[in-house]
Amino acid sequence: MIGRLNHVAIAVPDLEAASAQYSETLGAKVGAPQPEPDHGVTVVFIELPNTKIELLHPLGEDSPINGFLEKNPSGGIHHICYEVDDILAARDRLQAAGARVLGSGEPKIGAHGKPVLFLHPKDFTGTLVELEQA
Ligand code: CO
């Protein structure tokens, strides 16, 4: 059911330093910071030949990644995103299998303008999983 790895998201305490490291030290194609107020994060997209990396930094006091950075002060992998063809069919199949979908269970529009859902990390080997309709 899942398709391509769309991105790996890394929460970072210092967005400028992390962007510079990816562009200068690692030699990657790094975009400009994009505020996503609806999601409580500022995102920097890094284009790799086969996937993307997203650097996430808190935006606002209620950012959903504040807690993660408190537990992981130097940053860390926050979630991975897999593509699916039909997000509602994927949700129904996963819920029928007992997996928990975070939030209301209805897809939201994600950072790429496409519908996304998040799955509970405890149901997926300790990894927060995002599904994006490709
Ligand atoms: Co994501």
Side-chain angles (χ1 to χ4, degrees):
M1 176 180 73
I2 58 169
R4 283 162 30 100
L5 174 66
N6 184 275
H7 60 270
V8 175
I10 303 175
V12 300
D14 184 335
L15 195 55
E16 218 172 297
S19 298
Q21 182 178 58
Y22 268 86
S23 102
E24 288 154 35
T25 312
L26 292 171
K29 190 176 158 197
V30 175
Q34 293 183 22
E36 305 274 353
D38 291 352
H39 298 276
V41 290
T42 300
V43 184
V44 166
F45 295 104
I46 299 169
E47 294 278 344
L48 302 182
N50 62 341
T51 190
K52 294 186 285 282
I53 303 294
E54 294 183 9
L55 304 179
L56 303 177
H57 187 71
L59 177 63
E61 284 171 19
D62 301 330
S63 173
I65 62 169
N66 279 339
F68 183 89
L69 281 172
E70 272 164 33
K71 281 183 229 149
N72 304 276
S74 50
I77 293 178
H78 183 263
H79 66 268
I80 55 177
C81 177
Y82 300 122
E83 295 180 0
V84 293
D85 289 333
D86 180 336
I87 200 160
L88 294 176
R91 175 197 64 190
D92 293 348
R93 171 175 162 161
L94 290 162
Q95 284 181 327
R100 288 168 284 179
V101 174
L102 299 187
S104 69
E106 293 307 314
K108 279 190 179 177
I109 297 303
H112 310 113
K114 294 180 174 169
V116 301
L117 284 173
F118 285 90
L119 307 174
H120 201 297
K122 290 204 169 132
D123 297 338
F124 291 93
T125 57
T127 304
L128 178 60
V129 173
E130 179 179 18
L131 297 179
E132 179 175 301
Q133 186 161 286

